[in-house]
Amino acid sequence: MSDKKNTVIFISGRGSNMQKLIEAASDANYPAKIIGVISNKRDAQGLEFAKKADIKTAVISPKDYKNKADTDAAISSLLESWDVDLICLAGYMRLLGAEFCQKWQGKIINIHPSLLPQFKGLNTHQRAIDSQASDHGCTVHFVTVDMDSGPIIGQIIVPLQNDDTKEKLEKRVLIAEHNLYPWALAQVASGEVNFSD
Ligand code: GRF
């Protein structure tokens, strides 16, 4: 019997981080198995890649539910029916409610394009340039009720350059994200890193 952790990835769009996780998990020795991809957007590009990789996909759109609580409950039911151990948020541009975050605490991780706790929220690359900091980067962390605030699993530093634009910086940070996320998921799935407050 495999002791790989059943992992589901949540996306909203392009899904390049999702792709890197799927590729990493195709290695026989990787401690997580990607068993599904869930999107809140029907037209998320990443869904096509997941389908081609023979991974089951589902769209759970808030538009189909009365409120956030009902949407989150539908996601939880699906995860339970899939026997999910871990959840990776990878460009999932929808805030999950407090009840959902508490229910899955310790099992849900997120990638964020900044060196948290700096620049929580959106538009991180422009904010990093405007701050004139010397370093920017990315973080994988456990998800808690407060957005972009849970315990940090790992970070990669991306130094800022004098001629940086938002676009140039975003490209370099994305390469770092693609290295960081497969490593961070492996840490959690293998039990090397556990949730702690
Ligand atoms: C990434 O920069 C991620 O950190 C942020 O949204 C972007 C998603 O990109 N939360 P992709 O969908 O993984 O290509």
Side-chain angles (χ1 to χ4, degrees):
M1 205 177 82
S2 153
D3 57 0
K4 287 176 183 257
K5 294 281 183 283
N6 284 343
T7 303
V8 164
I9 306 171
F10 287 17
I11 62 167
S12 297
R14 178 178 58 186
S16 69
N17 279 288
M18 174 209 74
Q19 206 170 312
K20 295 293 168 187
L21 292 173
I22 291 172
E23 284 166 8
S26 69
D27 184 311
N29 295 317
Y30 197 77
K33 178 176 186 207
I34 309 302
I35 61 153
V37 172
I38 296 178
S39 172
N40 60 323
K41 304 260 185 210
R42 251 167 256 291
D43 59 355
Q45 284 165 259
L47 289 171
E48 291 314 309
F49 182 91
K51 283 179 196 160
K52 281 191 191 134
D54 258 341
I55 291 171
K56 59 189 169 193
T57 61
V59 175
I60 299 190
S61 166
K63 290 182 190 152
D64 299 332
Y65 298 88
K66 212 169 58 208
N67 53 37
K68 185 188 267 299
D70 284 5
T71 312
D72 286 354
I75 299 172
S76 265
S77 303
L78 183 63
L79 294 173
E80 279 160 355
S81 75
W82 283 357
D83 195 19
V84 169
D85 300 308
L86 293 174
I87 302 161
C88 292
L89 307 185
Y92 184 66
M93 303 306 284
R94 168 181 177 268
L95 279 181
L96 293 156
E99 204 179 313
F100 185 96
C101 293
Q102 275 154 1
K103 182 182 169 91
W104 295 95
Q105 189 163 283
K107 299 177 174 176
I108 174 166
I109 66 178
N110 178 45
I111 188 154
H112 183 75
S114 79
L115 294 174
L116 289 172
Q118 288 179 73
F119 313 126
K120 297 175 182 178
L122 300 174
N123 199 21
T124 58
H125 306 303
Q126 189 58 54
R127 286 158 67 205
I129 292 171
D130 294 345
S131 78
Q132 298 185 329
S134 54
D135 289 329
H136 186 43
C138 53
T139 303
V140 174
H141 63 97
F142 285 104
V143 171
T144 52
V145 173
D146 294 327
M147 186 187 71
D148 299 333
S149 298
I152 289 173
I153 299 161
Q155 297 185 305
I156 293 182
I157 292 172
V158 177
L160 278 150
Q161 294 172 356
N162 287 336
D163 62 345
D164 255 333
T165 60
K166 185 176 125 179
E167 290 74 21
K168 284 187 190 171
L169 185 55
E170 181 176 1
K171 267 193 195 155
R172 297 203 309 285
V173 172
L174 193 63
I175 292 168
E177 291 183 43
H178 293 165
N179 289 319
L180 179 63
Y181 215 174
W183 172 85
L185 172 59
Q187 293 296 108
V188 176
S190 65
E192 280 296 310
V193 170
N194 283 302
F195 178 85
S196 59
D197 284 307

